[in-house]
Structure formats: structure tokens, C-alpha cells
Amino acid sequence: MSHPAHATLGQSSYPRLTRSLSAVESWGFGLTAHISWTALVPAIHAALGSQAIFVWIPAVIFGMLLNYQVKRLGMHFMNVAGGTPNYASKLLQHYPGLANYAAIGYLLNWVSYLAVNTIVLKDLIKVNLEALGIACPDIFLEISFTLLPFIVAFSGTRALSILHLFFIIPAFGLLIIFCVQGLCWLAFSPVSPGFFPSNWSPFNFVDWAKWFFFVTYATYSCETASSFVADSRRPSQTLRFLDVAAWMMPPIFLGGSWVVMRLATDPNLKDNAFLNLVAASLPFWGRFAGVSVSFLLVAASLLGSATVVSNCPRILYQLALDKHISPVFAVVSRRGVFVPALTLTLVLCLIYLIWGDVARIVAVGNIGWFVSFMLLHLGLWLRRDRQEVLFPRISLGILLLEVVVLLVGGLAWGWLNLLIGLLFPIGVMGIDAVIRRVNFPPFHPSWWMRRYRKPSVVIIKDSVILQVSILIFLLCSAVGVGWLFGVKLNKVATAGGENIFVVLLMSVAFVGVAIACWTSLPQVVAIAEAREAAEHLFTVAQDGILVVDDQGIIRQANPATESFFGVNPSELRGNYLNKWLPALVYYPDQWTKRSEQNLIGNGKNRTLEVSISDRPHQDFQEYVVILHDITQRKQAEQILRYSEAQLRQEAKQLASQLVQSEKMSSLGQLVAGVAHEINNPVNFIYGNITHANQYIQDLLRLLQLYQQNYPHPVTEIQKETEAIDLNFLIADLPNLLTSMTVGAERITEIVLSLRNFSRLDEAEMKAVNIHEGIDNTLMILEHRLKPKSNNQTIEVIKEYGDLPLVECYAGQLNQVFMNLLANAIDALEESLVISHSSFATDKGQTTNDRGQIRIHTQLTNQKQVVIRIGDNGLGIPEVIQKHLFEPFFTTKPIGKGTGLGLSISYQIITQKHQGKLECISAPGQGTEFVIVIPLNQQAI
């Protein structure tokens, strides 16, 4: 049964890789496969002789193409760790079983490389120690060389990458010298056996397939740098190194093989790597050949092991992130240590060591490796339409050739090895299935995450005693080992002393770094992390931070101080702080620990809260000054002190506006209700007038028939006819019905205007006809426009433009029209009264007793609707115009107005409709109100 933590932990909860490696450090891992050539070339040379070059040539070409393809994939999958196998799993994401198999097959080959390196180092040291008469058990050497790279890897990625880089540079340089110098010696030396052989060894396709299958162990693995793209600080530069790695393949794999083929010709050398390389380099290196070759072989083994423990955990990490294997392998510590992944890698390496010898390990490991690249080429062909795929047709051709090589070459290495190699990745997938289902805490991410969240127990507050003790132990051990070997070398006459010296030198270097990783390095890393954290806080802090000496002179300043003083922090150093804060005296020991200071600079007056704390050192005294800008806080306090009265005034205005709004809402409801109630009887009357008119016309025709057929009625009927004036009744009755019809129609129009004006069903914004709203408002105010008792009338002049439907709050806009038109009528009535009074007192004065209201509408080019409502009244003085739109301001007598009409109208236009309301007036020139609103409110 699977652990519940698997279901609750998402991918985003895993600690992610930090980009801590420099590009140069990642480049070093990309040269490991080139060094491994030294272990492969003797075997193929011993088997094929001069024909071996025809195996190396296509293998190198395919390897170079692979490097370019992996680089392209890396550029596309920039955040994918593990390199080639995880790119293959991405290409085969629709086939998860194949994707998982390809990545694990690749992984197992690298693990087998570590096991092979361990055996090679063991044999090399054992042979040299036996020559000195020193016996050392195999199991001790195997365990030691297996655990050595893991000890460094468990302490962090950086130490391992730096150690690897330190030795890869001289080793690779020495290998290049071997290849180039060997080729030059063959071409130009007078004692050279000749650049080309005199005859070529025969071989068949089975031999070619068998050894092509073998050499891909090196030529396909030159893309290792891509495994470190996800934690490289410059991933693009890391990937660009694949080009360099590709072009380093021909001089090493082809050039070096040619040198060995032409110079290591003694059949007694067999497939011994040390003897073949020494024989090949002896003509041009002389007595330095042995120690140089020893260095190359030891470097190839140790650096290969270091690459394995760096590369394999990243493959497992990315597989876990992609949910191909158990999520526990996606756990990584804050220092970049993949503890679960490293543990599985160690277990697999031990399985290889226990199970087989070098030949069997290489054969079995290489089968999964070869199938992995077959699946990569298959994925490239399946995704051939993607831009990250190069040479899809070539990939298909290589795939077909690899299928043949696997069948022919794999069987040539033994059908049992082929079967085991094919099944081994499936066995690892079975191990992963067990890990997923067993309820054992270390098999689940949550257990590791809880451990990583705890404070580190490695850091020792006082580690001086421990460091000195380890140093004494190492010095004493080095002296003792040196004395022992000196005695042995003096007693035993052997030429191999320098070889064991090289082996011990590199082994001690690895051991020394491993010890440092568990003792000094954590302290150094902790100090570096603390320094970086402090520097980061010093840099990103929003408050100004200054460090001053005991004289008040600024020694350090963080970037935030520039916003305070307007001076670059570098220019602050060396100046007295009181140059900017005059209230501070010269000596910081007299400064108040916390105070408020005024800073005048950049044309601004700012208030700073200054906090001061001392920072004693062994030889001098420093003070840390923290500047916090409290200007806004002070301003806010001042604003709060004056806000109470303003809030009261605003609350009063708001209350009055709410009352007015409620009144208008109630009035609208009342108007709508009255209009509805009047509408029913009016419709009844208006609908029956037609029928009444028809009935009366029928009766009048019947009466005419009676008059025609009975021209001489009785006396009583004649008297009644004269009494009711029948002739007038017959003539006036149709006029009466017509008048009733006109009245009913008038009432209907008024009811419709009331309903349109109230617009209770249009509280939301919608597109309406502005002219219709103005006409409805005029209909309601028509009784005020008619002539009064003094025959004074108000004329309305409509100058309507061609307006489309306007988006607005129709009911509120009608309220504005009502307020403006009512004010215009009030102004004209006042004007007519004053003019009439003046005319009565001065007969010689002429007056214009005809008031006019002019309504003009238009649409501007900027999609603005302009509505002008003007009158020819007395006008408004400029003093009053300034206060027109203020709440409660009015010039009308008590009971005639509240002073809220224009204020509410102004808010409706400016706030609700994002428009403008202006008054244009002058005494004696009339008044005009201008409304400007957008045609479409959504465009605002």
C-alpha cells in the first residue's frame, strides 16, 4: 500500500535545484568521457589491430551528431536536469514505459562505469603494492574506492565539481599532448615506423558490430555536461561546450587510437591499458611515460567515479519530478545533496561489484546504455516535426543500424549478458515499484523534508579543536606513510615506485577533500551563506543603513541611502553624517539611540527616524545607523488631526444628498404610481369616446329621419325642441366630442411623459434618446411655460442635432434636465417681474417681455454629446457662479429652494457619467448651462 504522503506532495513542494555551478565547473564533467578512452582503446586494439580505426570513425561521427542534437534539446529543455536520458523521456512522454526504460538503461551504464573504475584502481594499486611487498585485501580497496566519491558527493555539489575540475584540466591537457605529440612523432620522426601500416588486419561484420557496440561506451557519452544545465548559473554556456566536446572527439578517439595502433604493436601487451599506453608513449615521452600514463589512468578512474555520483542522482531527480519513478528521489537538500538518489546509486554499484568482473560489467551495462540511445533516436524520429529535433532522417538511419548492432554485437558478447542487460532496467523499475508501496518512512519525501527543515547539526560553534586535531592526524599519517614507502622503495629495486606515488597522490587528494567536506567545508559554507544573507539584506533593505566610525564619519552605506540623501552611496563615504543631519553632534557616543531628525534635500523636507546601535570590534568602534522615513506617517497624523471636522461636514452633505435622493426616488415612484392610476380611467374614457361619437351620430341621423317624415310634430315636442335649442345642440355636440377626444389625448401624453420622466425601469445604464427625455421634461413643465395673467409667455427654441442613442442613466439625466429647466424658468419669471416693475415706474424704458429658453444639442468629433440649455434672463454675477454647484447654496428665498438641485446635477454629470457641467453667464446676458458627456460610457 502506497504511503499517503505521495498523494499530498505536489511537484512544486520539492526543493528545487539552485543554479550554483559555474559554466567552467559544468564543462569539466563534459570531458570525462574523453579521458575514459584510455581504458577502452587497448581492448579494441588487441582484438582488431589496425582495423579498429574503422570502428572508431563511424562511432565518432555518430557521437558528434549526438552532441549537436543534445545541445538543441537542452536549449529547449533549459530547466531539465540529467541531460540526455531525461530529454529522451520527454520525447517519449506518450510512451511512459519506454521513457522510463531509456533513462534507467542510461543510468545503469554510468553506475557500471563506477564499478569498473573501482576494480581498475584496485588492481592498479594492488599490483604496485605487491611490487613493494605490501599486501592489501581486495575487499578493503573496493569498498574504499567505491565510497570515496560518495563521501564527497554527500557533502555537496560544489566541492565535487571543484575537485573534478582541478584534476580534469591537467589530465585532459596531458591526453591532448599524448595524441598530438604521438601523431607528430609518427609523421616526422626519422625513427618512426611510418604513419600508415604496411598491411591491414582482416575482420568481418560481426567483429565490427561487436566492437562498435563496445566503443559507444565512450563516444556516446561526451554529452555529459548537459546533465548539469538545470543547476548551472549560465546554462547556455554549459550547452555551448557540447560543441567543443564534439570537436575534441576526433583528435582523441581517432588520433589517440592511431598512435596506440602504430606504436603499441607488441602482442605480449594484450589488452593491458597501462602497458599499451606506456609502449605507445615511450618513444616520445621516454622515462616520463610510466608516471604520465599512471596519472592518466588514475585520473580517468577517479574523475569518472566523480562524474557518476554527480550525473546519476540528477537523472533520478528529474525522473521523479516527471513522475516516472518514486517522488522520494526528487528530494534534494539545501546544499544540493540528493541523498535518496545517491543511496540508490551506491546500492546499484555494489550489486555490480558483487556480481561480476570488468568484462561482464561492461557488457551488461552497455546493453541498457545502447538501448537507451536507440530509444532516443526513436523519440527523435517520432517528434521529427518539432523544432528541437535535428537530423530526423539521420536519426532514423542510425536507429536501424543500432538495431542490427544490438542483435549482432550483443549476441557476440554472449546471449546471457544480452538477456541480463535487457532485463536489468526492468529489475530497477521493480525496485522503484517496491519503494513506492512499502510504508517505510525513508522511502517517502515527507520524511526527508522534515529532516532538511531542521537546523543543520554539522555547524559547530567552536570547531578550532576539531580542525587542529584533524590537521595533526593528517600530518602524522602523511609522515608515517611517507617513511613506510621510503623504506620499502629503498629495499625493493623496482621501477614502479613513481606509479604508486601517482596513485597515492590522487587518492590522498580525494580523501583530503572528502575529510574537508565533512569538517572545514560546512563551516566555510555556513560563513559564506551568512555573509551572503547579511549582504543581501544590506542591499535590498528599503531603510537607509549607514556604518559610521567613532568620529561620525560614514564608512559604509547601502543603496537605499541614495533615495534619502540624493547622493550615490560611494560619495557618502568619508563625510560626516551631520552634514545632512545637523542636529547630530560629531561623536556618535553622544547620540540618542532613537530620535527624529529633519532632512532637507532634493527640494523636500523629510522626517527621519534615526536608530543607532554600536558594533564593537577588537581594534575599533563602529556604529550602525538605520534611517527610516516617517514623513508620510507624520503627514498622516496631521491629516487625522484636521479630518474630524471635514468628516462631519461631509457626513452632513452626504445625509442631505441621501435625503434629496430619497425624495427624488419617492417622487419618481409617486409619479409613476399616479401616472399608472390615471392611465387606466383615461384609457377607458378615450376608448369609449369613439363609441359614444358613433352612437350620437346614429341618434342624430334617426332624429333627422323623424324630422323628414313628421315635419309637424305635436306642440309638446316643439316646445321642448325650442327649450333645448335642438339646432345648436346638433351643431355643437360633435365639437364637444372632438374637444373631449383632444383632452383625453392630452392626458395620455402627460401620463406618458410622467412615466418616461420617472424611468423606474431604467435604473441601470442603457442607450436612450436624449431628445425624448428633454421633451418629456418640457411636457411636465408646460404649465409653467404658458402665458400668465399678465400675458407673459416663455418660448422654448429647440435646436436639436443629429444624435444617436446615448449610453447614460436615463432617470438621473432627466432629473438634471428638470433642475436646469426649472431654474431657467425661475430666472425668466424673475426677469419678467423686474422688467414689468421697471416699465411701470419708467414709461420711457423698453423691455423685452418675451422670455426664451434655447436648447441646443450636438455630437462632437471626439464622440462627446454636448447639451446647452440657455435663457435670456438677467444672468448670474461672477461671485455667485463660483458657488453654484456647492451643496446648500441658493439665492432663492426660504421655501423656494434647498440649494441641492445644481449640486446633485453636478455629481450626476461628473461622477455618474464622467462628464462636465459648466455655467456660462454674465449680468444682463442671460445664462447657459453646458452638459458634456461621452457617447459611450464603456469607452472611458
Side-chain angles (χ1 to χ4, degrees):
M1 182 176 65
S2 63
H3 198 276
H6 286 180
T8 59
L9 286 173
Q11 180 172 329
S12 61
S13 65
Y14 301 140
R16 309 298 298 191
L17 289 179
T18 57
R19 295 192 177 275
S20 58
L21 297 180
S22 66
V24 176
E25 292 171 45
S26 63
W27 293 351
F29 291 111
L31 296 174
T32 301
H34 299 75
I35 303 294
S36 69
W37 166 87
T38 56
L40 297 180
V41 66
I44 185 174
H45 168 67
L48 298 181
S50 58
Q51 296 293 342
I53 196 67
F54 298 109
V55 176
W56 282 107
I57 290 174
V60 167
I61 293 174
F62 292 170
M64 295 178 68
L65 293 175
L66 178 67
N67 265 37
Y68 281 102
Q69 177 60 76
V70 171
K71 174 188 174 184
R72 184 67 168 266
L73 292 172
M75 290 296 183
H76 184 74
F77 302 114
M78 193 69 78
N79 294 316
V80 173
T84 304
N86 298 102
Y87 299 157
S89 66
K90 294 289 186 182
L91 295 173
L92 296 169
Q93 59 183 347
H94 299 303
Y95 308 93
L98 292 179
N100 201 6
Y101 187 96
I104 293 178
Y106 183 101
L107 169 82
L108 289 175
N109 183 68
W110 274 103
V111 176
S112 70
Y113 186 38
L114 192 153
V116 169
N117 290 334
T118 298
I119 296 174
V120 170
L121 284 172
K122 178 203 69 174
D123 293 341
L124 184 62
I125 290 182
K126 186 177 179 181
V127 169
N128 285 277
L129 288 179
E130 288 176 351
L132 296 176
I134 301 175
C136 191
D138 291 354
I139 187 66
F140 173 76
L141 292 176
E142 288 181 353
I143 293 176
S144 298
F145 283 110
T146 300
L147 294 180
L148 184 58
F150 284 96
I151 293 174
V152 183
F154 273 108
S155 67
T157 303
R158 289 300 309 282
L160 193 61
S161 64
I162 295 172
L163 175 64
H164 187 282
L165 182 65
F166 182 82
F167 284 108
I168 195 68
I169 293 176
F172 184 77
L174 186 62
L175 182 59
I176 288 291
I177 291 173
F178 168 84
C179 298
V180 174
Q181 189 173 358
L183 290 173
C184 292
W185 190 89
L186 283 173
F188 304 111
S189 175
V191 294
S192 169
F195 196 85
F196 297 99
S198 58
N199 54 52
W200 296 89
S201 305
F203 81 120
N204 54 35
F205 179 76
V206 174
D207 291 335
W208 182 90
K210 176 182 178 180
W211 290 102
F212 179 86
F213 176 82
F214 181 77
V215 300
T216 56
Y217 192 79
T219 58
Y220 278 6
S221 59
C222 294
E223 33 62 82
T224 316
S226 63
S227 183
F228 304 88
V229 170
D231 46 356
S232 171
R233 290 199 292 265
R234 296 184 177 180
S236 298
Q237 290 191 12
T238 296
L239 289 170
R240 278 198 289 269
F241 184 75
L242 294 181
D243 297 342
V244 178
W247 286 102
M248 288 293 102
M249 294 168 66
I252 293 175
F253 294 150
L254 299 181
S257 298
W258 192 263
V259 172
V260 172
M261 179 189 71
R262 297 295 298 128
L263 296 179
T265 56
D266 188 349
N268 295 324
L269 299 176
K270 299 182 180 180
D271 61 350
N272 186 290
F274 177 78
L275 296 178
N276 275 272
L277 291 174
V278 169
S281 59
L282 193 61
F284 50 87
W285 277 354
R287 64 187 184 90
F288 295 104
V291 67
S292 300
V293 170
S294 296
F295 177 76
L296 279 176
L297 292 175
V298 175
S301 299
L302 289 177
L303 296 178
S305 299
T307 302
V308 170
V309 297
S310 300
N311 186 23
C312 291
R314 284 166 172 77
I315 298 172
L316 294 171
Y317 166 82
Q318 190 63 47
L319 285 176
L321 282 188
D322 295 338
K323 301 181 180 179
H324 289 295
I325 61 175
S326 172
V328 71
F329 297 110
V331 178
V332 56
S333 73
R334 293 186 298 271
R335 300 280 174 83
V337 181
F338 309 82
V339 178
L342 282 170
T343 303
L344 178 61
T345 304
L346 177 59
V347 171
L348 295 174
C349 179
L350 293 176
I351 292 175
Y352 272 124
L353 286 175
I354 295 171
W355 173 70
D357 54 14
V358 172
R360 180 176 294 180
I361 292 173
V362 171
V364 171
N366 207 36
I367 289 169
W369 165 267
F370 202 76
V371 174
S372 173
F373 282 96
M374 289 171 56
L375 293 175
L376 172 66
H377 290 126
L378 175 62
L380 293 172
W381 173 251
L382 294 176
R383 304 293 289 272
R384 57 188 177 274
D385 57 334
R386 302 293 295 269
Q387 62 179 1
E388 65 269 19
V389 175
L390 293 175
F391 327 120
R393 296 181 183 275
I394 296 178
S395 297
L396 179 60
I398 295 175
L399 171 61
L400 296 176
L401 177 62
E402 287 171 339
V403 171
V404 176
V405 169
L406 177 64
L407 295 176
V408 177
L411 288 173
W413 285 101
W415 69 268
L416 183 60
N417 290 333
L418 177 62
L419 181 61
I420 295 173
L422 292 174
L423 294 179
F424 202 0
I426 299 176
V428 175
M429 294 166 68
I431 295 174
D432 171 65
V434 173
I435 292 175
R436 286 174 180 264
R437 287 166 174 78
V438 174
N439 191 13
F440 181 55
F443 287 172
H444 305 289
S446 57
W447 188 82
W448 293 99
M449 290 181 180
R450 285 193 297 269
R451 291 178 60 86
Y452 288 151
R453 291 191 185 103
K454 294 179 181 179
S456 176
V457 297
V458 177
I459 299 175
I460 304 173
K461 293 184 178 179
D462 187 5
S463 61
V464 176
I465 296 177
L466 178 63
Q467 306 296 327
V468 172
S469 300
I470 293 174
L471 180 60
I472 292 173
F473 171 77
L474 290 176
L475 290 175
C476 293
S477 300
V479 172
V481 171
W483 175 80
L484 177 63
F485 277 95
V487 172
K488 293 291 182 180
L489 288 172
N490 289 329
K491 291 182 177 181
V492 181
T494 177
E498 66 274 12
N499 300 338
I500 191 64
F501 171 75
V502 171
V503 176
L504 290 175
L505 178 66
M506 296 193 65
S507 301
V508 168
F510 268 74
V511 172
V513 172
I515 294 173
C517 288
W518 289 94
T519 56
S520 304
L521 188 60
Q523 314 301 321
V524 175
V525 172
I527 294 171
E529 289 177 348
R531 186 187 70 249
E532 290 176 358
E535 291 176 350
H536 178 71
L537 291 175
F538 186 76
T539 302
V540 304
Q542 298 298 313
D543 290 340
I545 303 176
L546 300 167
V547 178
V548 301
D549 60 13
D550 55 358
Q551 299 296 315
I553 299 174
I554 300 173
R555 297 303 179 187
Q556 285 182 280
N558 73 329
T561 54
E562 185 171 1
S563 63
F564 288 87
F565 303 111
V567 178
N568 189 282
S570 61
E571 299 178 11
L572 290 173
R573 291 194 287 269
N575 292 287
Y576 286 96
L577 180 58
N578 68 349
K579 177 179 179 180
W580 289 273
L581 302 175
L584 297 176
V585 296
Y586 279 103
Y587 300 108
D589 58 354
Q590 302 177 17
W591 293 350
T592 306
K593 296 298 182 184
R594 187 181 297 273
S595 62
E596 294 182 3
Q597 305 289 335
N598 290 325
L599 174 65
I600 301 176
N602 296 330
K604 298 180 180 178
N605 189 0
R606 306 168 72 178
T607 304
L608 304 181
E609 183 181 66
V610 181
S611 302
I612 302 167
S613 60
D614 57 346
R615 188 172 68 174
H617 287 264
Q618 183 175 357
D619 300 322
F620 56 90
Q621 184 80 14
E622 282 185 342
Y623 297 85
V624 178
V625 181
I626 300 177
L627 308 176
H628 181 62
D629 190 348
I630 59 173
T631 305
Q632 293 184 352
R633 189 181 77 188
K634 287 293 184 181
Q635 293 174 349
E637 292 174 354
Q638 185 177 6
I639 292 172
L640 287 174
R641 285 195 294 268
Y642 294 105
S643 64
E644 185 177 359
Q646 182 179 0
L647 288 175
R648 286 201 188 101
Q649 181 67 20
E650 291 178 355
K652 182 178 178 182
Q653 294 177 4
L654 180 60
S656 63
Q657 292 173 9
L658 289 174
V659 170
Q660 180 70 7
S661 177
E662 185 64 26
K663 286 181 179 181
M664 292 302 298
S665 177
S666 300
L667 177 60
Q669 295 177 3
L670 176 62
V671 168
V674 171
H676 179 73
E677 293 301 325
I678 293 176
N679 192 50
N680 289 335
V682 167
N683 287 339
F684 174 76
I685 294 171
Y686 184 74
N688 287 327
I689 287 177
T690 302
H691 301 291
N693 185 41
Q694 184 65 39
Y695 298 157
I696 290 172
Q697 293 296 331
D698 292 343
L699 291 174
L700 290 177
R701 284 196 299 271
L702 180 60
L703 182 60
Q704 290 174 356
L705 290 175
Y706 271 101
Q707 288 176 341
Q708 292 173 5
N709 294 304
Y710 300 98
H712 302 291
V714 297
T715 304
E716 185 177 359
I717 292 177
Q718 290 180 354
K719 289 181 179 180
E720 186 64 27
T721 299
E722 293 174 357
I724 65 175
D725 194 359
L726 181 60
N727 293 329
F728 175 76
L729 189 148
I730 292 172
D732 192 53
L733 186 56
N735 295 333
L736 178 62
L737 291 172
T738 301
S739 179
M740 291 173 65
T741 302
V742 172
E745 291 175 348
R746 175 63 178 161
I747 294 173
T748 302
E749 292 175 355
I750 292 174
V751 168
L752 180 61
S753 297
L754 289 173
R755 292 179 63 185
N756 290 338
F757 178 79
S758 64
R759 290 189 183 272
L760 291 179
D761 58 338
E762 297 181 7
E764 298 298 329
M765 182 176 292
K766 62 183 296 186
V768 299
N769 187 339
I770 292 292
H771 296 155
E772 182 181 338
I774 297 173
D775 291 340
N776 290 332
T777 306
L778 289 172
M779 177 74 71
I780 296 172
L781 295 172
E782 187 170 353
H783 68 286
R784 297 192 61 187
L785 300 173
K786 293 180 178 178
K788 305 298 187 296
S789 58
N790 53 9
N791 292 326
Q792 295 172 341
T793 184
I794 297 177
E795 180 185 7
V796 177
I797 302 174
K798 299 178 183 179
E799 299 175 346
Y800 290 167
D802 185 10
L803 293 184
L805 297 181
V806 180
E807 290 183 358
C808 63
Y809 295 97
Q812 297 183 17
L813 200 58
N814 286 346
Q815 182 182 346
V816 174
F817 296 153
M818 175 66 76
N819 289 332
L820 297 182
L821 289 170
N823 284 344
I825 294 172
D826 291 340
L828 290 173
E829 289 178 345
E830 181 183 357
S831 173
L832 293 173
V833 169
I834 293 174
S835 299
H836 182 74
S837 175
S838 300
F839 180 76
T841 57
D842 186 0
K843 298 294 183 179
Q845 182 179 0
T846 61
T847 61
N848 180 14
D849 59 353
R850 188 173 182 82
Q852 289 183 351
I853 295 177
R854 187 179 300 273
I855 305 174
H856 177 84
T857 63
Q858 71 179 86
L859 179 66
T860 67
N861 294 332
Q862 290 76 30
K863 300 297 182 181
Q864 300 281 335
V865 177
V866 180
I867 306 166
R868 299 177 181 270
I869 301 177
D871 62 68
N872 61 344
L874 296 176
I876 303 174
E878 185 178 355
V879 177
I880 297 177
Q881 289 183 40
K882 298 178 181 179
H883 305 282
L884 277 180
F885 302 118
E886 295 178 1
F888 306 107
F889 177 80
T890 181
T891 58
K892 298 178 181 179
I894 298 175
K896 291 290 185 179
T898 63
L900 289 173
L902 288 177
S903 174
I904 293 174
S905 299
Y906 185 80
Q907 291 182 1
I908 290 172
I909 297 300
T910 58
Q911 297 179 12
K912 290 287 187 178
H913 294 84
Q914 306 299 313
K916 294 188 295 183
L917 176 60
E918 298 177 348
C919 176
I920 302 172
S921 181
Q925 301 297 322
T927 302
E928 183 180 58
F929 285 90
V930 182
I931 301 171
V932 181
I933 60 174
L935 179 63
N936 298 306
Q937 292 291 321
Q938 288 84 348
I940 299 175

